[in-house]
Amino acid sequence: MENTQLEPYQPLLDGVFSTMQQPQPTTKALDVAEAVWRAATDPHAPMRIPAGKDAVALANEVG
């Protein structure tokens, strides 16, 4: 028996799974260390510093 209930959602699911298979940027330990160093030594640093390409992308997406 075939499940046809998901059929209307198939394009959405295909897009989600396709995106998940693409390499995504991830935060590395050095990214965090650099953000902490900036927070500790730069008197003009913002209260929140994104650490890593993924955090920068998310901050730009939200903000």
Side-chain angles (χ1 to χ4, degrees), residues 17-24:
F17 291 129
S18 171
T19 301
M20 290 173 63
Q21 293 174 353
Q22 301 297 321
Q24 300 294 319

Side-chain angles (χ1 to χ4, degrees), residues 37-56:
W37 177 257
R38 181 175 174 209
T41 61
D42 182 355
H44 303 291
M47 289 295 291
R48 294 186 176 98
I49 301 172
K53 290 181 182 179
D54 56 336
V56 170

Side-chain angles (χ1 to χ4, degrees), residues 3-14:
N3 186 353
T4 58
Q5 292 178 342
L6 294 178
E7 204 169 288
Y9 299 101
Q10 197 59 50
L12 174 65
L13 293 173
D14 290 342

